[in-house]
Amino acid sequence: MKMALFSTKAYDKHFFENENKSYNHELIFYDVHLNKLTAPLAKGVPAVCAFVNDQLDKETLEILAEGGTRVIALRCAGFNNVDLHAAKAAGMTIVRVPAYSPHAVAEHAVALILALNRQIHRAHNRVREGNFALDGLLGFDLYGKTVGVIGTGRIGEVFAHIMQGFGCRVLAYDVFENPDLVSRGVKYANMDTVFAESDILSLHCPLTPETHHLITDETIKRMKHGVMIINTSRGALVNTYALIKHLKSGKVGSVALDVYEEEGDLFFEDLSNKVLQDDIFARLMTFPNVIVTGHQAFFTRNALEKIASTTLNNVAVLERGEKCENEVLPEGHLRK
Ligand code: NAI
């Protein structure tokens, strides 16, 4: 099938072209984001491939549908950026890559915890400048600490296992309990208990109307003093204003974010020659106890291979007129 891929980088092209040797789809790569202004580029193209910060709102979907696009192949797990009802009304099928590498994201969350706790980001800079002083680099043993996991799906489960390996007590909240985790000693509790008892809180639930601004002024007040908050899921789970307020007061001890509510204007681009326009993000960057990575948790070779092969296979399955197990249904429920 002919497919236009938006928001692509050289690495996307590399992995998609390599995996496409087994599929022979006709691929057109665009580096621009997909939105209502760029949607006409896909005129006459039956499949469009989009990424996390592409805007698949009603207007964009209608333009794509008018141009003949019938399939939206998301090369990511989350689908919070798609108006599923508008897609259905436009007669489009949405497919995604539900699990490309939960390990990639879970391991990145752990990397952030370790870096933040032992201040690796600061130590690295100090040593390069010949400063070997340890003041300000004091961390804590992870062993014996309580780690709260919000969302124990594919990524949250792997994350919980890794943290158990450090000797942490893992406390979890999810709308569904995972029996495997319970049998391995993870304790489920209500969200308030997880907030109140966690030394480290890591978010692994999807962004939905229910989880929007899960971390806000009110919920932070219910957390332990000095809590470490890790978000590798979606930026809008966290109210950044509240985070800054409580970082300033010391209530929040440290923060690592791989995602940010307004990341669409920043992440995945080299803006090093430009003046940063986002004052909230600029404030976040002033804290010594904050680490931000630019939505790179997924970014492993293994994950990119799986993303490309699953996306190309999703499109091949639909081209053959078969039902795709990775279809996202309008209600947001998944086929499997
Ligand atoms: P998943 O669908 O396997 O697991 C999500 C879990 O969250 C499920 O167990 C679900 O029951 C739970 N959940 C749903 N609503 C909830 C609520 N209101 N409160 C608590 N739990 C709730 O998804 P997976 O693969 O584990 O991914 C999780 C999230 O990670 C994705 O939605 C995506 O936003 C993010 N992600 C981030 C990446 C990155 O590079 N930073 C890469 C891939 C995913």
Side-chain angles (χ1 to χ4, degrees):
M1 197 183 282
K2 193 169 179 181
M3 176 157 74
L5 295 90
F6 285 82
S7 301
T8 56
K9 302 288 182 192
Y11 47 80
D12 294 307
K13 196 163 186 268
H14 169 81
F15 283 98
F16 267 87
E17 283 184 338
N18 206 31
E19 296 294 325
N20 196 39
K21 286 175 194 157
S22 321
Y23 291 93
N24 287 316
H25 293 300
E26 189 184 336
L27 305 181
I28 312 160
F29 295 92
Y30 293 113
D31 57 4
V32 289
H33 283 321
L34 175 59
N35 55 40
K36 63 182 178 191
L37 300 176
T38 57
L41 287 168
K43 192 169 192 303
V45 181
V48 156
C49 179
F51 195 46
V52 289
N53 291 324
D54 288 319
Q55 285 169 26
L56 289 146
D57 51 21
K58 186 168 184 280
E59 221 176 331
T60 305
L61 289 164
E62 282 172 359
I63 296 167
L64 289 173
E66 268 168 37
T69 298
R70 291 284 161 265
V71 173
I72 304 290
L74 300 170
R75 55 178 193 281
C76 52
F79 45 87
N80 51 284
N81 53 338
V82 186
D83 185 332
L84 297 174
H85 292 285
K88 188 187 180 194
M92 285 177 167
T93 304
I94 313 288
V95 286
R96 66 168 191 149
V97 185
Y100 38 90
S101 174
H103 301 280
V105 183
E107 288 169 14
H108 191 74
V110 177
L112 292 172
I113 291 172
L114 292 171
L116 204 51
N117 177 32
R118 305 308 290 269
Q119 318 239 17
I120 304 296
H121 54 304
R122 299 178 68 209
H124 176 69
N125 287 337
R126 279 193 193 183
V127 169
R128 285 169 75 96
E129 291 188 1
N131 177 357
F132 303 99
L134 299 183
D135 312 70
L137 302 184
L138 195 65
F140 55 83
D141 288 5
L142 289 176
Y143 179 82
K145 294 291 178 299
T146 298
V147 176
V149 186
I150 306 287
T152 51
R154 295 172 183 88
I155 295 169
E157 178 174 8
V158 174
F159 173 79
H161 286 164
I162 300 174
M163 295 318 293
Q164 283 185 314
F166 281 100
C168 295
R169 169 188 178 233
V170 178
L171 202 55
Y173 171 75
D174 194 306
V175 283
F176 303 108
E177 289 192 8
N178 178 335
D180 288 346
L181 282 180
V182 174
S183 70
R184 282 167 164 247
V186 170
K187 192 176 159 218
Y188 278 89
N190 61 36
M191 187 126 53
D192 274 348
T193 306
V194 177
F195 286 157
E197 295 189 14
S198 298
D199 300 293
I200 299 169
L201 188 70
S202 196
L203 307 180
H204 299 288
C205 58
L207 175 62
T208 63
E210 293 77 43
T211 60
H212 184 263
H213 284 184
L214 196 70
I215 305 301
T216 191
D217 195 35
E218 266 313 301
T219 50
I220 291 174
K221 279 181 188 157
R222 287 184 251 144
M223 294 178 195
K224 269 192 175 175
H225 188 84
V227 62
M228 175 189 284
I229 299 176
I230 310 290
N231 186 10
T232 57
S233 198
R234 282 293 179 268
L237 295 179
V238 175
N239 179 331
T240 318
Y241 287 94
L243 207 56
I244 289 172
K245 175 181 165 187
H246 291 285
L247 274 162
K248 282 166 77 179
S249 74
K251 172 82 182 171
V252 173
S254 54
V255 169
L257 306 175
D258 184 54
V259 286
Y260 169 62
E261 198 165 2
E262 303 300 330
E263 70 177 50
D265 293 333
L266 300 171
F267 287 5
F268 305 116
E269 305 302 329
D270 178 3
L271 304 177
S272 53
N273 282 324
K274 303 214 167 122
V275 173
L276 185 57
Q277 297 298 321
D278 184 331
D279 292 348
I280 302 299
F281 188 79
R283 182 66 179 100
L284 262 185
M285 291 295 89
T286 65
F287 293 99
N289 48 349
V290 171
I291 295 181
V292 178
T293 52
H295 208 138
Q296 72 170 81
F298 74 101
F299 200 58
T300 65
R301 193 171 299 117
N302 317 68
L304 289 191
E305 280 167 4
K306 188 81 193 295
I307 287 171
S309 62
T310 307
T311 304
L312 295 168
N313 191 55
N314 285 344
V315 172
V317 167
L318 294 175
E319 192 173 25
R320 292 198 297 270
E322 297 167 12
K323 278 280 176 215
C324 180
E325 62 172 2
N326 296 329
E327 185 177 343
V328 183
L329 300 175
E331 305 76 28
H333 300 308
L334 308 170
R335 192 165 285 290
K336 64 175 184 181

